[in-house]
Amino acid sequence: MASRTKPRGKNSSKTANSPKAGKNGASGAAGLDESDVAIKGDHLELFRQMFLIREFELACGENYARGFIRGFLHLYIGQEATGVGAISALGENDYIVSAYRDHGHALARGVDVNRAMAELFGRSTGLSKGKGGSMHLFDAAKGFMGGHAIVGAHLPLAAGLALAQQYEKTEGITMCFFGDGSTNQGVYHETLNLAAVWQLPILFLLENNGYGMGSAIERVRAGGKDFYPGLATYGIPAVEVDGMDVLAVKEATEIAVGNIRAGGGPQFIEAKTFRFVGHSYADGQKYRGREEVAEWEERDPVVTFPENLIKMGLASKEQIDRVKAETTAVVENAVKFAEESPNPDPTEIFTDVLA
Amino acid sequence: MPEIIYREAIKRGLEEALERDPRVFMMGEDIGEYGGAYAVTDGFLEKFGPERIKDTPISEQAFMGAGIGAAAAGLRPIIELMSISFSLVAFDQIVNMAANLRYMSGGQISVPMVIRAPTGAGVQLAATHSQSFETWLAEVPGMKVVCPSNSYDALGLIRSAIKDNNPVFVAEPALLYGAKAEVPDEYYEIELGKARIARAGSNITLVSYGYGMRPVEAAADRLSMVGVSAEVIDLRSLNPLDMDTVVASVQKTHRVVVVDSARRTGGIMAEVAAEVQQRAAEWLDGPVMRVGSVDVPWPYSHDLEQKVLTDSDDVLNAVSEGYGL
Ligand SMILES: Cc1ncc(C[n+]2csc(CCOP(=O)(O)OP(=O)(O)O)c2C)c(N)n1
Ligand SMILES: [Mg+2]
């Protein structure tokens, strides 16, 4: 049974499954009010990360069209607030595991932007020397443990990382991102049960964007589109959070991470979010209406968050513009870096197969 | 004769079966509203309705198993996997259940079911999405495995697969979905388990199937330019395996190269090579040569992937190394 560790005040964000829900209170779309001034952490930095992800993803789309990026490309556009808010609550010794929509998580973790882009270009300078591509980003030194493209397959990997953290008493925890669609895999249920039985230091972070490819979650899930409440979490405490609100996500994650570090065992967060673009680059999106997308786009965190920062006097327009200009340059530079990087040497075919 | 692309050929075969037999229905991820990951079932939901075109949760193990149950009860399910790489999630159901049920029950239960999946590398999907597990499935008794290399065979084989009373796995090389070939309007079927002589020749036998036919055909063209006449055999079916056709050809040409676009080691071509050795050793002028993709996980980078993937140079090198041609 899901019990709710209730995050503070309105940011507990009782979002129903409508993009409008976050607007119900007195706060704006990004859920910012006077009390948020007190939230520690650098608002501008959160904005920078979200904007970086957005620019990076747009550049990926362009370079897919140019033929520099190939294979499957799943963009994180629209979900930036979830990844940035959640990862901002982690420390150096924590692990992150993601699925194939992994660019945003990797960037929020602070992987090298140039090397991330080079990986998508399949170049030798890429994070995985060009061997993994978009769906398989890794930066083990930063605790970013992939990038996994078999739906659901990475959940037990995350449990195993957490098991090692528990075993070696590192104080670290593992954060595992996964989509609504992946909860229909048997291995999701097996992993939650295992984590609960062993009380592993793991945070399950469900990014409920309402769709698994072309399947609206309520068409393929007996429990409907809202996981929380009524979520079968095998006793793991769960909360729901507005995934379009970076501060709400950050706060909910800080509480959950705190609970884990205090020995509270696994925790679960459902972030309600939305991808503004197709499942992958090839998706014509005939399964959903343009209006639904437009409604969610009104809550675009990359737009609303800086607007609110300015409104609240937490940042000036000049500061925001400077972050934007700098970040745009970073991404342009990354594309240039990737373009100019050499392809992997043919001998690389045989390296890294065995340790 | 009209030409159609591979995807259309499979689609036509499925559509005919859905029209002909009310026991036939389909299950798979995003085959309905989305129209299929490779658009094979585009328009089916509108035409046949949600009872017969069932979008599934991302639960390969469960819907594969449910397909087996429905087949055991007399329905004729066709199950689409988005990629043969995802068959691994359902392998227990396919191998332990579908293929064994009839034998274990002493013939009481049959599983008349078709499992379809795109297979193979070549489009930079990297390690987890580029594999060719038809070669694993081919060694499982109690089921059949086919892998058509062109539109004509695809239609003829899918028709037979759907009518067959056993589990039949149809591996569809993803790289070939857009490839055109002549397909007659008149109805025909292709018997499961029969290889095809794609091109007659007298100096050397080249054996492959599925996407592997591309490098083999290209190699045969290049050989003909230097006066070497290659006989090209398309296995079409990996189980049953039509060794009679292969052996007869080797007895004629005295030379053979077996070619897989899947990884070289362990696959179906190891089986073909061993059978040729056992049945035709005295006819051979040299070793049975085996060509396949490099035995490494599939890399993402275009250049690396192309180097790993079997190509016509690899085939010609084997021809030259084994037989000095
Ligand atoms: C085992 C397996 N089955 C199917 C797929 C194909 N596939 C890739 S992503 C996806 C949808 C997953 O949806 P969700 O978990 O909600 O994540 P989202 O794409 O929304 O981020 C599917 C069906 C796969 N990669 N692996
Ligand atoms: Mg989803």
Side-chain angles (χ1 to χ4, degrees), chain A residues 14-36:
Chain A
K14 182 90 207 78
T15 57
N17 282 285
S18 145
K20 293 259 165 69
K23 291 183 166 173
N24 287 343
S27 63
L32 211 64
D33 66 16
E34 283 77 5
S35 64
D36 289 313

Side-chain angles (χ1 to χ4, degrees), chain A residues 63-219:
Chain A
N63 284 287
Y64 197 90
R66 291 171 72 204
F68 282 107
I69 298 174
R70 307 276 297 271
F72 288 154
L73 178 69
H74 309 90
L75 301 179
Y76 198 60
I77 292 178
Q79 302 183 205
E80 293 90 344
T82 298
V84 168
I87 291 170
S88 72
L90 293 182
E92 261 186 17
N93 294 327
D94 298 327
Y95 286 124
I96 297 171
V97 186
S98 173
Y100 45 83
R101 199 179 300 286
D102 57 349
H103 309 170
H105 303 140
L107 293 173
R109 185 54 168 179
V111 306
D112 187 278
V113 183
N114 289 354
R115 295 188 59 208
M117 188 60 84
E119 184 60 33
L120 272 74
F121 275 57
R123 303 299 164 98
S124 63
T125 52
L127 287 169
S128 302
K129 307 179 196 167
K131 294 181 182 181
S134 162
M135 302 193 287
H136 310 105
L137 298 180
F138 288 85
D139 191 344
K142 289 211 153 64
F144 191 77
M145 306 301 274
H148 300 276
I150 298 298
V151 169
H154 63 298
L155 278 96
L157 175 82
L161 292 165
L163 175 64
Q165 289 167 320
Q166 183 186 59
Y167 192 92
E168 301 198 308
K169 303 187 173 56
T170 66
E171 309 277 297
I173 70 133
T174 299
M175 176 178 283
C176 182
F177 290 95
F178 53 97
D180 44 277
S182 69
T183 66
N184 286 325
Q185 285 289 18
V187 73
Y188 161 84
H189 297 271
E190 296 177 27
T191 304
L192 258 74
N193 181 60
L194 196 74
V197 169
W198 289 343
Q199 287 293 291
L200 298 176
I202 182 168
L203 174 53
F204 293 102
L205 212 147
L206 163 61
E207 293 189 80
N208 183 357
N209 62 9
Y211 292 89
M213 218 168 138
S215 296
I217 185 64
E218 61 270 28
R219 286 203 295 118

Side-chain angles (χ1 to χ4, degrees), chain B residues 181-239:
Chain B
E182 289 188 339
V183 172
D185 289 330
E186 302 79 55
Y187 187 85
Y188 64 97
E189 289 174 13
I190 297 172
E191 192 186 336
L192 305 181
K194 288 278 176 268
R196 167 179 73 99
I197 299 185
R199 157 187 330 208
S202 53
N203 301 135
I204 187 163
T205 301
L206 306 178
V207 184
S208 194
Y209 71 94
Y211 183 74
M213 292 303 291
R214 285 289 178 90
V216 159
E217 297 269 16
D221 286 343
R222 290 168 66 183
L223 285 169
S224 79
M225 289 190 275
V226 294
V228 175
S229 152
E231 178 142 300
V232 177
I233 297 179
D234 182 349
L235 292 175
R236 302 199 288 206
S237 166
L238 307 189
N239 185 8

Side-chain angles (χ1 to χ4, degrees), chain B residues 111-135:
Chain B
V111 182
M113 160 166 114
V114 170
I115 309 165
R116 305 172 34 245
T119 187
V123 285
Q124 289 190 256
L125 299 184
T128 57
H129 280 51
S130 304
Q131 304 173 92
S132 301
F133 293 127
E134 66 275 8
T135 76

Side-chain angles (χ1 to χ4, degrees), chain A:
Chain A
M1 269 281 294
S3 71
R4 184 164 187 187
T5 55
K6 197 165 178 289
R8 178 195 59 105
K10 64 156 182 45
N11 276 340
S12 63
S13 42
K14 182 90 207 78
T15 57
N17 282 285
S18 145
K20 293 259 165 69
K23 291 183 166 173
N24 287 343
S27 63
L32 211 64
D33 66 16
E34 283 77 5
S35 64
D36 289 313
V37 179
I39 291 181
K40 62 175 176 347
D42 187 341
H43 294 125
L44 264 186
E45 173 58 15
L46 295 175
F47 170 64
R48 185 194 66 79
Q49 290 183 18
M50 291 198 291
F51 192 73
L52 170 66
I53 296 170
R54 178 65 56 87
E55 291 284 291
F56 186 92
E57 297 296 59
L58 291 171
C60 288
E62 279 165 28
N63 284 287
Y64 197 90
R66 291 171 72 204
F68 282 107
I69 298 174
R70 307 276 297 271
F72 288 154
L73 178 69
H74 309 90
L75 301 179
Y76 198 60
I77 292 178
Q79 302 183 205
E80 293 90 344
T82 298
V84 168
I87 291 170
S88 72
L90 293 182
E92 261 186 17
N93 294 327
D94 298 327
Y95 286 124
I96 297 171
V97 186
S98 173
Y100 45 83
R101 199 179 300 286
D102 57 349
H103 309 170
H105 303 140
L107 293 173
R109 185 54 168 179
V111 306
D112 187 278
V113 183
N114 289 354
R115 295 188 59 208
M117 188 60 84
E119 184 60 33
L120 272 74
F121 275 57
R123 303 299 164 98
S124 63
T125 52
L127 287 169
S128 302
K129 307 179 196 167
K131 294 181 182 181
S134 162
M135 302 193 287
H136 310 105
L137 298 180
F138 288 85
D139 191 344
K142 289 211 153 64
F144 191 77
M145 306 301 274
H148 300 276
I150 298 298
V151 169
H154 63 298
L155 278 96
L157 175 82
L161 292 165
L163 175 64
Q165 289 167 320
Q166 183 186 59
Y167 192 92
E168 301 198 308
K169 303 187 173 56
T170 66
E171 309 277 297
I173 70 133
T174 299
M175 176 178 283
C176 182
F177 290 95
F178 53 97
D180 44 277
S182 69
T183 66
N184 286 325
Q185 285 289 18
V187 73
Y188 161 84
H189 297 271
E190 296 177 27
T191 304
L192 258 74
N193 181 60
L194 196 74
V197 169
W198 289 343
Q199 287 293 291
L200 298 176
I202 182 168
L203 174 53
F204 293 102
L205 212 147
L206 163 61
E207 293 189 80
N208 183 357
N209 62 9
Y211 292 89
M213 218 168 138
S215 296
I217 185 64
E218 61 270 28
R219 286 203 295 118
V220 288
R221 179 174 185 270
K225 61 187 173 180
D226 301 313
F227 285 72
Y228 176 91
L231 179 73
T233 58
Y234 303 86
I236 298 172
V239 295
E240 179 198 61
V241 68
D242 177 1
M244 307 306 274
D245 180 342
V246 66
L247 295 180
V249 175
K250 180 177 164 67
E251 190 181 21
T253 311
E254 279 169 355
I255 293 169
V257 170
N259 290 345
I260 299 171
R261 291 205 212 280
Q267 308 276 313
F268 191 111
I269 294 175
E270 174 191 3
K272 287 270 170 54
T273 182
F274 200 78
R275 59 168 159 75
F276 296 167
V277 293
H279 167 73
S280 68
Y281 200 80
D283 177 4
Q285 298 186 66
K286 68 171 192 174
Y287 51 85
R288 67 183 188 184
R290 188 56 222 162
E291 318 74 59
E292 187 190 4
V293 181
E295 257 187 71
W296 279 91
E297 277 173 342
E298 281 179 37
R299 303 200 53 225
D300 186 344
V302 174
V303 175
T304 58
F305 185 63
E307 275 174 7
N308 282 303
L309 287 181
I310 294 169
K311 226 181 285 167
M312 303 299 305
L314 293 172
S316 66
K317 181 161 186 317
E318 292 67 40
Q319 279 176 308
I320 298 288
D321 287 344
R322 189 167 350 107
V323 168
K324 283 187 180 174
E326 282 167 10
T327 307
T328 303
V330 165
V331 172
E332 279 169 9
N333 204 47
V335 171
K336 190 158 170 282
F337 173 84
E339 261 187 75
E340 288 170 359
S341 291
N343 284 320
D345 189 87
T347 58
E348 281 295 337
I349 287 170
F350 302 99
T351 63
D352 307 317
V353 177
L354 290 171

